[in-house]
Amino acid sequence: MKVTLAAACGFCYGVRRAVELAGQAEKGTHTLGPIIHNPQVVGRLAAHGVSPVDSLDDVDKGAVILIRSHGVGPDVYEQADQKELKVIDATCPHVKKAQQDAKNIVEKGEKLIIVGEKSHPEVISISQWGANRAIIIDREEEAEKIPFCDSMGVVVQTTFSQEQFKRIAAILQRKTNHLDVHMTICTATQQRQQAAIELAGHVDAMIVIGGKNSANTGRLAQVCREQDCPTYHIETAAELDTAWFRGMNHIGITAGASTPDWIIQEVV
């Protein structure tokens, strides 16, 4: 059987940077939430003494806290300052830009629209920088329900589907006299989605590797299925089932931006 790895897959710059910062952190450092949406990486770091906490209330005064790649709202920085915490900021630069864009949109008096998953930590952090005034949507049907307004600004979750965002933005264009679009889907996400789409069109099935709680990995599986390609989303090689591939000759593999190289190689 022929196995082809997508031209772009695995760790992106922001995730690699966050994991490296966590790996260099002193024992006893805490990450605010899991460093990335990959249970295997989180487990490895915890074994080395860098473990996640749910809230700054869970850490002692003066402790070291690492802000993960998804980013946090301004209130978290203020609370960390009050507790005299040493902050290692591993927020992805692309997320930082989306946060700043949301802040600027609100300060200009425009209606803020965030396209992304409402419960995702990155989207929550972007909304908090937009003073929690955003309308958050992730489907065309929701865009259709937004009332008309004179001026509107839109930012998008960095790992969102490009094609779906284009469809939503086209609807928003009809909902305002002025649409200020900030294309904040990061380059790495675009490259990974495009490479997955191209590969899915030439193979009998796709394997998508990454955390089940990883938004960008879920998007990769989504775009592969949209090519009418049988697609299996797994976290590790232990989940592979040879029955999936009976009668097939060519299998494609891709991986989310929070999936480390060693897990990809095990699956290959």
Side-chain angles (χ1 to χ4, degrees), residues 112-180:
L112 172 61
I113 310 295
I114 300 173
V115 179
E117 298 168 49
K118 297 175 182 68
S119 60
H120 194 278
E122 177 195 320
V123 173
I124 292 168
S125 82
I126 295 169
S127 178
Q128 287 168 340
W129 281 95
N132 290 313
R133 294 185 198 167
I135 297 174
I136 304 173
I137 61 172
D138 65 359
R139 299 195 314 274
E140 290 94 319
E141 298 81 8
E142 291 173 313
E144 292 285 7
K145 293 176 183 175
I146 292 176
F148 188 91
C149 68
D150 182 60
S151 189
M152 187 184 290
V154 58
V155 298
V156 56
Q157 185 176 348
T158 60
T159 55
F160 203 74
S161 162
Q162 297 176 75
E163 296 307 313
Q164 193 171 357
F165 177 64
K166 286 176 187 173
R167 294 193 295 269
I168 290 172
I171 295 167
L172 295 177
Q173 197 78 52
R174 307 196 309 264
K175 296 286 181 174
T176 182
N177 292 321
H178 172 75
L179 184 65
D180 189 9

Side-chain angles (χ1 to χ4, degrees), residues 198-250:
E198 289 172 7
L199 185 55
H202 295 92
V203 296
D204 298 315
M206 284 291 292
I207 300 168
V208 180
I209 315 163
K212 296 289 168 62
N213 60 341
S214 163
N216 77 83
T217 307
R219 295 291 178 198
L220 286 175
Q222 175 192 335
V223 299
C224 290
R225 291 186 182 114
E226 286 172 356
Q227 311 313 306
D228 292 324
C229 181
T231 301
Y232 302 95
H233 179 178
I234 64 172
E235 285 191 356
T236 68
E239 294 174 62
L240 288 170
D241 184 346
T242 53
W244 295 342
F245 313 115
R246 284 206 185 105
M248 294 183 181
N249 300 309
H250 191 184

